[in-house]
């Protein structure tokens, strides 16, 4: 898995495009005629959550993010609450 991420990063740097082949191996589904323009970013860590249909073009500098860090705030709040309520 680590080697795929390294290869994907190198491919992205050299071609300025995300490596769709590796993203597909990690679970992303793509329809027919999928086109990626330079400098596009696709979330490699959660690409199994991404599904794109037929005849899709990802514009230059477009980003697809399949997760966020919203749970980190909840975890931090819970830890603070738990530390205040200890006896």
């Amino acid at each position: 898995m680590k080697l795929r991420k390294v290869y994907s990063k190198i491919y992205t740097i050299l071609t300025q495009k995300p490596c769709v082949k590796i993203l597909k191996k990690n679970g992303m589904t793509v329809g027919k005629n999928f086109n990626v323009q330079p400098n596009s970013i696709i979330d490699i860590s959660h690409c199994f959550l991404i599904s794109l249909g037929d005849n899709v073009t990802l514009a230059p500098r477009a980003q697809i993010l399949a997760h966020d860090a919203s749970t980190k705030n909840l975890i931090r709040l819970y830890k603070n609450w738990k530390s205040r309520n200890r006896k």
Side-chain angles (χ1 to χ4, degrees), residues 15 25 35 46 50 55 65 69:
T15 64
K25 283 184 181 180
N35 186 13
H46 290 80
I50 301 170
N55 303 316
L65 182 64

Side-chain angles (χ1 to χ4, degrees), residues 54-67:
D54 294 339
N55 303 316
V56 172
T57 298
L58 200 59
R61 304 182 85 185
Q63 297 181 12
I64 298 178
L65 182 64
H67 73 287

Side-chain angles (χ1 to χ4, degrees), residues 13-84:
I13 290 168
L14 294 177
T15 64
Q16 299 296 311
K17 294 182 181 181
C19 185
V20 177
K21 185 177 178 181
I22 289 180
L23 294 170
K24 284 182 180 180
K25 283 184 181 180
N26 288 336
M28 184 175 93
T29 57
V30 176
K32 297 175 186 173
N33 300 323
F34 177 64
N35 186 13
V36 179
Q37 298 297 316
N39 298 320
S40 299
I41 298 171
I42 299 175
D43 184 8
I44 191 168
S45 64
H46 290 80
C47 61
F48 57 91
L49 298 172
I50 301 170
S51 178
L52 301 170
D54 294 339
N55 303 316
V56 172
T57 298
L58 200 59
R61 304 182 85 185
Q63 297 181 12
I64 298 178
L65 182 64
H67 73 287
D68 65 4
S70 61
T71 56
K72 287 186 179 183
N73 289 333
L74 292 174
I75 291 169
R76 183 178 47 82
L77 289 172
Y78 175 74
K79 285 182 180 178
N80 289 341
W81 176 81
K82 191 175 176 182
S83 65
R84 280 187 264 142

